[in-house]
Amino acid sequence: MQKIMDIVRERRVIIDGGMGSLLQSCGLRAGELPEIWNLTHRDVMLKIHTDYLDAGCDIVTANTFGANPFKYPASAADGEEYTLESVVTAALDISREAVQKKGHGFVAMDIGPTGRLLQPMGDLEFETCVDAYKQVIALAKDRADLILIETMSDMYELKAAVLAAKEASDLPVLATVAFDASGKLLTGGTPESVVALLEGLKVDALGLNCGLGPADMAPFAKRLLDCASVPVIVQPNAGLPRVEAGVTRYDLGAGEYAEQMKEILSMGAAFVGGCCGTTPEHIRALKEIADKTAGDYPRVREAAGSRRSATLVSGFADAVEIGDDPVIIGERINPTGKKRFQQALREGDMEYILGVGLSEQEQGAQILDVNVGLPEIDETDMMVRVVKELQGVTELPLQIDTSDPKALSAAMRIYNGKPLINSVNGKKEVMEAVFPLVKKYGGVVVCLTLDENGIPETAAGRFDIAARIIAEAARYGIQKKDLIVDTLCMTISSEEKGAVTTLKAMERVRKELGVRTVLGVSNISFGLPARDIVNGIFFALALERGLSAGIINPGSADMMRAFHAFRALKALDAHCATYIETYQSYQAPAAAGGGVQGPAPRKDKTAPEEGEAQGDASALSHAIKKGLKDQAQAAAADALKTNDALSVINDEMMPALDDVGRGFEQGSLFLPQLIMSAEAARAAFDVIRAQMDAAGGGTKKGKVVIATVRGDIHDIGKNIVKVLLENYNFDVIDLGKDVAPETVAETVLRENARLVGLSALMTTTVPAMEETIILLRKKAPDVKVMVGGAVMTKEYAKQIGADHYAKDAMGAVSYAEHILTGSDVPA
Amino acid sequence: MNAADVNRREIVRYLGGKWEAADEQMLALIEDVLAEMFSRVTPKHVFHTWPLSLQEVREDADNAQSAGVHKEEKPLVDMTCMQVRSGDLAKNLSGCTEVLLFAATLGEGADFLVRRYEKTNMSRAAVCQAAGAAMIEAYCDEINDAWRESYAAKGKRLRPRFSCGYGDFPLSYQKQFADVLQMEKRLGIRLTEGLLMVPTKSVTAVIGIGEA
């Protein structure tokens, strides 16, 4: 029999229409699991499939949309009637029977969302999700002809499903997503980023379904068709739903539906079918129109895909094109030569690392390079951790920068989108390690023009290596659009013709090989004074000669000026809007004598107020009360010149913090101010601690273990408590959210902590809190337990056996002071 | 919903302060956060109405002998799409013949900002959290007001919204809400194992419809 992916090269393939909506009209009740009907209503299911085949569809979709291990048990041990395997195999067998009966057609295993949300939005771990999908997809073997993943609304879950399908079967994989009326997925994904992700993962076809009728779907179908190299699937609803007497109906009849599908057919869609509200009648009408226009198919498919060769990378939301409009790749997430960053890596200080990335974003980076290699840390673990954390707080695509194939592989697997990869080069061994990963997970790869013999001195030598890398990539099925070539900047301080050679090679690569280019720009000035001057000018030269992306420090004013001015001059910045927004309050640096120019004055939000005394007794107290970090630090250093550390803490800092705490309790100060004051105090503490440590004294006040209990994923309250406790100089061990009782008990024992803080937001998770307390009483009877959270009350806390109810973050601090330093009993 | 519709006093209250004590700086921070939140949120809702049948609860229900419903047994609220035993819900819906069930959400954008600032600027995260809570309330008020008006034109009166988790209306009914309103497919709202809604700035509720 001819394969489905061969057929679609010759003609349009028709997929069936709605299933759930038909089952409802056959009596499926709201809330009833539709897949159970595969066992209880076999005849109804068979008739739906044969009706669709009679209507002329090529693919019948088995009734397995909601079948996953979260909804159906693996075994029927506990008196459960239906197992995952029984509902899925029954569904596929019914579909197969229909196909055999009618003598034509293919069986698709249908895969929908799990119903759960992945971390960091929800509580489902990525690999758990992949495994869940694998369990279902493994059942398709010998029963299905293809896997249809559909109605996906979260990019990360979509990736999990496609990976599972690729790993658990050899069948063709088709995947579609459901956009809302604005053309976005739940998490902000767009048609372009969907294409980037799915083509990277090598699906056989991709598209969209559900949510909208054909007319509303058309513009988004167009955007998919513009970018996609693989066939595109379009399965709209029968218009918009409306409710009549408790029954959901859709507003497009079969004729109107098929009429509206004409436009989508003419755009070049290859697989067409229906979704909610469509019936065999809709599919029959669609098939008729598709047949009538069958002769157009090769032409319209060829005409689609105007952006098919665009180089796209993506994060969880939108895609970024590396094209004629140049792109800034931020280079600051990198420990090389940065002591503070190295320290953050060693201490696992995510806040610092994320802070670096987010400030690059604010400065204008469009992609973030991520390099966390340091000899004394496990790079794979750290890379995965940093990538996970970053993609939770920024929508920017990431550039995974490592020479360790293990770290690269692990990071590419859990990356939410299509990453940039830094890098491959002309060395055989490196290409053999990196290209298989790109083939599997997708990505755009930076290709360095060096090989076993080093970096060629001539432009021709570098050009040749680029050509070789492109040819080798093709053997893995990696297209030119997924490669960007770096012709390597060599500093002009030692290599006089460094810039000339780099630019010449880059220009040739761009023009003759037709690939996009990238440069680590600032290397060009290594060893020179006033490097920014050279960097800025060189960046402008490179952009003019076809540089597509610069890996730079977006905090460098000179390079960003070159970038923004270039875009404005080249008509890439409509109405110079970005340029104007960036520089409207720009002040030209005042001319300085002798040609030496100091840095431009920076607007510092935390600068001391006018006329403020520095170093007087109240400066520290004032800075803490006002929440001014830098000032608190400076004031603490000053205070230490005349006073010893303890008296600075006791006479200045503590009274100030107490004042702030009192103000918060009385409602005259607000949570943000309380937090800012606490952060200022921490900054001051750091200064004092450094001195105390140097003098061999000074320790924290004691350990507090804090956690949000099992089942609860709201943890902002706990996080605020953490910040406050730390800033009041407690040693806080934060176990995070959704923490098992055993983990809390083990940590208390291991750390020998005397105080535990537990938080729960929902009534449903209070039992988990009680369970944790019971376990703690058994394992660590001496530990004190304070509890808090939205549902907690003093009475409730007592009832579940807690020692203390903290009504807010300040309450938690007071109790910790009482238990660990022996201060007065709080109210 | 516009930024103007959001109750600043509520935000200040969530932040633990008195309205009179909020200085210019605090109010400016709140405005700044609101502007950022509005650039990220995607408010959406779905609703559906069903016939209601209510087991009578007598005023003297405390007296087990004379009550129509046994004291220990809670009255049955049959909303066609789900059946609940809840005294508090029955009281709220007393005199109604229909119910309107709805779900509303600000979308994932609100959670994203809280998550981002928790890592980098905790004080701003706290304000985002408070602003998000006030925004979803404002959004629910806006859609509820529109229904109130349109039902008033038909001579009907709407009761205040009532969510599961209030009083003795168990939170476990969140699952039924999710099913009957197709919350996942139509709004992207999903439930965690602990029945929390994600995105977290989401609301589900029942509104009773009775004669004016």
Side-chain angles (χ1 to χ4, degrees):
Chain A
M1 196 173 68
Q2 206 183 2
K3 290 196 173 117
I4 191 74
M5 295 314 298
D6 292 333
I7 294 175
V8 79
R9 263 187 279 280
E10 295 162 11
R11 64 168 177 89
R12 292 189 182 101
V13 169
I14 310 288
I15 309 182
D16 60 6
M19 170 66 79
S21 42
L22 282 185
L23 292 181
Q24 273 163 24
S25 66
C26 293
L28 180 80
R29 282 172 289 119
E32 193 181 353
L33 293 173
E35 293 78 20
I36 288 174
W37 277 40
N38 298 329
L39 298 164
T40 58
H41 296 69
R42 197 184 157 84
D43 293 347
V44 176
M45 302 308 307
L46 186 65
K47 183 163 185 317
I48 290 175
H49 288 322
T50 51
D51 285 353
Y52 273 124
L53 287 165
D54 283 340
C57 81
D58 299 297
I59 295 176
V60 288
T61 311
N63 183 30
T64 54
F65 180 80
N68 66 55
F70 303 116
K71 290 181 188 161
Y72 295 90
S75 67
D78 301 330
E80 292 276 358
E81 265 180 274
Y82 311 107
T83 63
L84 183 63
E85 187 172 352
S86 69
V87 296
V88 170
T89 54
L92 295 170
D93 290 346
I94 295 168
S95 302
R96 178 64 61 200
E97 188 181 330
V99 163
Q100 280 166 352
K101 209 166 152 183
K102 291 293 160 190
H104 70 105
F106 294 87
V107 174
M109 168 181 256
D110 193 16
I111 298 288
T114 56
R116 303 267 305 276
L117 212 46
L118 282 140
Q119 294 169 351
M121 290 181 292
D123 54 357
L124 185 60
E125 205 272 322
F126 182 74
E127 290 296 344
T128 309
C129 186
V130 174
D131 287 343
Y133 277 126
K134 276 189 183 176
Q135 281 185 49
V136 189
I137 288 160
L139 301 169
K141 195 172 162 42
D142 301 330
R143 285 193 164 87
D145 300 311
L146 62 139
I147 311 284
L148 176 61
I149 297 164
E150 53 136 329
T151 323
M152 303 301 280
S153 60
D154 170 17
M155 295 274 257
Y156 211 21
E157 189 175 44
L158 175 61
K159 175 165 180 175
V162 174
L163 266 186
K166 289 277 174 187
E167 289 178 353
S169 94
D170 299 321
L171 297 171
V173 178
L174 281 56
T176 61
V177 298
F179 289 113
D180 67 14
S182 69
K184 294 263 175 79
L185 299 183
L186 165 66
T187 45
T190 60
E192 293 75 22
S193 60
V194 167
V195 172
L197 178 82
L198 290 176
E199 286 201 350
L201 292 168
K202 310 290 177 297
V203 296
D204 295 280
L206 60 86
L208 68 176
N209 76 304
C210 205
L212 307 166
D216 291 331
M217 207 177 249
F220 312 134
K222 173 81 169 59
R223 283 166 63 187
L224 284 179
L225 281 155
D226 281 347
C227 300
S229 320
V230 297
V232 169
I233 309 156
V234 185
Q235 292 186 267
N237 288 346
L240 294 170
R242 64 198 147 83
V243 177
E244 271 174 20
V247 182
T248 308
R249 294 185 198 289
Y250 287 81
D251 64 359
L252 292 185
E256 295 163 287
Y257 179 78
E259 193 58 36
Q260 289 192 9
M261 285 298 284
K262 263 187 187 165
E263 189 190 353
I264 284 168
L265 293 174
S266 73
M267 289 176 186
F271 290 90
V272 285
C275 201
C276 301
T278 58
T279 64
E281 284 320 303
H282 290 78
I283 298 303
R284 192 183 310 280
L286 171 63
K287 165 82 173 159
E288 271 170 29
I289 292 206
D291 283 350
K292 265 187 213 157
T293 58
D296 299 345
Y297 180 60
R299 184 179 54 79
V300 294
R301 260 207 78 187
E302 194 47 46
S306 57
R307 298 179 65 197
R308 204 173 272 169
S309 54
T311 298
L312 295 175
V313 291
S314 64
F316 68 78
D318 209 349
V320 170
E321 178 174 359
I322 299 174
D324 292 338
D325 191 356
V327 167
I328 299 286
I329 303 171
E331 68 180 9
R332 301 292 294 167
I333 302 180
N334 191 319
T336 312
K338 299 192 198 94
K339 276 212 170 119
R340 180 66 188 86
F341 199 98
Q342 292 170 6
Q343 182 196 345
L345 282 178
R346 275 191 293 267
E347 293 171 359
D349 180 355
M350 285 298 141
E351 279 173 41
Y352 180 81
I353 297 167
L354 299 183
V356 170
L358 291 175
S359 73
E360 286 188 286
Q361 179 171 8
E362 268 171 37
Q363 290 161 341
Q366 294 147 289
I367 297 171
L368 301 178
D369 184 87
V370 183
N371 182 318
V372 295
L374 207 57
E376 62 263 45
I377 62 162
D378 181 331
E379 192 179 346
T380 303
D381 279 1
M382 185 55 75
M383 182 62 95
V384 166
R385 203 170 147 204
V386 171
V387 167
K388 275 188 178 173
E389 293 269 359
L390 271 171
Q391 67 191 8
V393 300
T394 178
E395 61 278 56
L396 296 190
L398 303 180
Q399 168 164 293
I400 303 168
D401 181 359
T402 174
S403 53
D404 177 354
K406 213 169 123 243
L408 180 61
S409 169
M412 286 173 78
R413 186 172 176 88
I414 54 91
Y415 181 67
N416 187 358
K418 180 183 183 188
L420 250 179
I421 291 145
N422 194 4
S423 57
V424 76
N425 57 48
K427 291 180 188 166
K428 194 163 174 284
E429 184 195 1
V430 174
M431 289 193 280
E432 280 172 1
V434 174
F435 285 150
L437 295 174
V438 178
K439 186 183 177 188
K440 175 167 185 183
Y441 296 115
V444 171
V445 196
V446 173
C447 309
L448 308 182
T449 50
L450 60 91
D451 64 10
E452 286 82 355
N453 302 315
I455 302 170
E457 276 177 31
T458 63
R462 294 185 204 175
F463 176 88
D464 290 345
I465 294 178
R468 267 210 327 272
I469 298 174
I470 292 168
E472 182 65 16
R475 294 185 46 225
Y476 291 85
I478 300 166
Q479 303 175 51
K480 271 190 199 173
K481 69 173 177 181
D482 287 337
L483 303 170
I484 55 175
V485 171
D486 182 341
T487 50
L488 301 169
C489 286
M490 311 295 286
T491 175
I492 52 169
S493 66
S494 63
E495 188 78 40
E496 212 169 37
K497 290 197 164 172
V500 177
T501 308
T502 302
L503 292 178
K504 194 168 165 193
M506 185 192 79
E507 197 170 22
R508 277 194 66 196
V509 160
R510 173 80 199 99
K511 283 188 179 148
E512 295 172 38
L513 299 174
V515 291
R516 296 291 169 183
T517 57
V518 60
L519 284 175
V521 178
S522 56
N523 291 343
I524 206 73
S525 62
F526 194 80
L528 290 177
R531 292 181 60 186
D532 272 353
I533 298 175
V534 176
N535 292 347
I537 303 284
F538 175 70
F539 192 26
L541 288 176
L543 289 169
E544 173 58 15
R545 290 178 68 177
L547 180 66
S548 318
I551 305 178
I552 70 163
N553 172 4
S556 157
D558 284 299
M559 282 203 270
M560 292 310 282
R561 280 175 200 149
F563 174 74
H564 288 302
F566 176 83
R567 291 190 68 245
L569 289 164
K570 293 295 244 185
L572 295 166
D573 182 5
H575 312 297
C576 302
T578 311
Y579 182 85
I580 292 168
E581 194 194 323
T582 312
Y583 297 113
Q584 60 187 352
S585 48
Y586 174 77
Q587 287 179 332
V596 180
Q597 180 70 65
R602 214 163 52 99
K603 221 176 111 191
D604 190 344
K605 280 180 191 160
T606 55
E609 285 161 32
E610 205 65 40
E612 202 143 14
Q614 290 288 314
D616 80 37
S618 67
L620 179 54
S621 157
H622 176 82
I624 290 173
K625 286 185 193 169
K626 290 285 169 196
L628 305 171
K629 253 194 237 181
D630 295 350
Q631 213 181 326
Q633 218 153 13
D638 275 351
L640 286 172
K641 286 177 192 158
T642 48
N643 292 299
D644 67 285
L646 268 180
S647 62
V648 172
I649 294 174
N650 291 332
D651 301 341
E652 295 191 41
M653 295 185 58
M654 281 311 168
L657 278 172
D658 286 346
D659 266 7
V660 173
R662 246 194 320 277
F664 177 69
E665 273 162 17
Q666 291 161 357
S668 61
L669 278 180
F670 300 81
L671 190 53
Q673 293 164 321
L674 181 68
I675 296 168
M676 283 192 271
S677 287
E679 284 174 342
R682 173 155 68 173
F685 265 127
D686 285 344
V687 172
I688 295 166
R689 198 175 304 125
Q691 200 190 68
M692 289 169 102
D693 287 347
T699 46
K700 296 208 174 183
K701 288 177 188 164
K703 282 178 185 169
V704 188
V705 174
I706 61 169
T708 298
V709 297
R710 184 161 62 197
D712 211 323
I713 56 152
H714 293 73
D715 65 348
I716 185 167
K718 184 262 307 168
N719 290 340
I720 290 169
V721 169
K722 176 189 175 185
V723 169
L724 284 192
L725 283 171
E726 279 178 349
N727 296 330
Y728 277 76
N729 206 24
F730 290 95
D731 185 2
V732 182
I733 300 154
D734 177 12
L735 298 177
K737 57 192 174 183
D738 193 12
V739 181
E742 297 73 24
T743 312
V744 178
E746 279 161 22
T747 310
V748 165
L749 290 175
R750 190 181 63 239
E751 299 288 341
N752 199 16
R754 285 161 54 206
L755 178 61
V756 171
L758 299 175
S759 140
L761 193 90
M762 304 290 294
T763 40
T764 45
T765 51
V766 171
M769 186 179 259
E770 188 172 14
E771 206 184 311
T772 310
I773 295 175
I774 290 168
L775 189 73
L776 280 171
R777 295 292 177 237
K778 212 164 89 187
K779 302 257 176 164
D782 295 335
V783 78
K784 295 285 182 188
V785 183
M786 60 177 171
V787 297
V791 294
M792 272 293 139
T793 61
K794 207 167 179 175
E795 292 69 36
Y796 220 163
K798 205 169 163 190
Q799 200 183 322
I800 62 170
D803 295 298
H804 183 71
Y805 162 66
K807 77 171 168 53
D808 52 34
M810 211 46 227
V813 172
S814 308
Y815 187 68
E817 294 275 2
H818 168 62
I819 294 298
L820 300 176
T821 71
S823 70
D824 291 343
V825 183
Chain B
M1 174 181 51
N2 295 312
D5 303 328
V6 181
N7 189 341
R8 270 64 170 174
R9 284 171 186 267
E10 279 291 287
I11 301 177
V12 165
R13 193 172 64 80
Y14 293 140
L15 291 172
K18 289 183 187 139
W19 175 248
E20 303 73 42
D23 59 9
E24 232 169 83
Q25 218 178 340
M26 178 55 56
L27 294 176
L29 174 63
I30 290 173
E31 293 308 318
D32 192 43
V33 164
L34 277 174
E36 190 177 13
M37 290 285 280
F38 269 95
S39 74
R40 290 272 183 179
V41 298
T42 47
K44 277 182 214 163
H45 69 278
V46 292
F47 69 99
H48 209 322
T49 56
W50 277 280
L52 170 74
S53 105
L54 210 54
Q55 210 171 344
E56 204 52 40
V57 190
R58 297 195 189 166
E59 288 306 315
D60 54 357
D62 277 350
N63 184 344
Q65 302 280 298
S66 61
V69 176
H70 193 268
K71 194 180 173 190
E72 279 84 38
E73 195 176 299
K74 290 174 176 167
L76 182 74
V77 180
D78 184 350
M79 298 185 277
T80 317
C81 61
M82 63 173 102
Q83 289 74 38
V84 190
R85 285 203 177 274
S86 161
D88 295 322
L89 181 59
K91 208 182 213 173
N92 178 276
L93 297 178
S94 147
C96 296
T97 52
E98 246 186 306
V99 284
L100 182 156
L101 271 62
F102 78 95
T105 182
L106 294 184
E108 155 64 16
D111 289 352
F112 174 78
L113 283 185
V114 172
R115 202 160 61 232
R116 166 180 282 184
Y117 287 119
E118 269 188 299
K119 304 284 182 183
T120 54
N121 186 344
M122 185 55 95
S123 52
R124 194 172 178 91
V127 182
C128 287
Q129 175 77 6
M135 283 165 72
I136 185 68
E137 281 303 306
Y139 182 56
C140 289
D141 287 346
E142 178 184 290
I143 55 182
N144 289 187
D145 287 348
W147 291 327
R148 192 158 289 122
E149 259 176 50
S150 71
Y151 275 97
K154 296 185 231 167
K156 306 267 189 186
R157 194 168 69 84
L158 298 191
R159 298 296 145 85
R161 59 177 177 264
F162 201 90
S163 296
C164 59
Y166 288 3
D168 63 355
F169 184 9
L171 186 69
S172 56
Y173 281 87
Q174 206 67 278
K175 273 192 177 167
Q176 270 92 326
F177 272 93
D179 279 334
V180 303
L181 294 174
Q182 291 188 292
M183 279 158 49
E184 180 183 341
K185 206 165 187 174
R186 299 178 60 187
L187 298 179
I189 298 176
R190 305 194 192 189
L191 302 181
T192 66
E193 272 180 299
L195 298 175
L196 306 176
M197 284 185 281
V198 186
T200 61
K201 296 290 172 284
S202 301
V203 166
T204 58
V206 176
I207 297 176
I209 305 171
E211 297 303 320

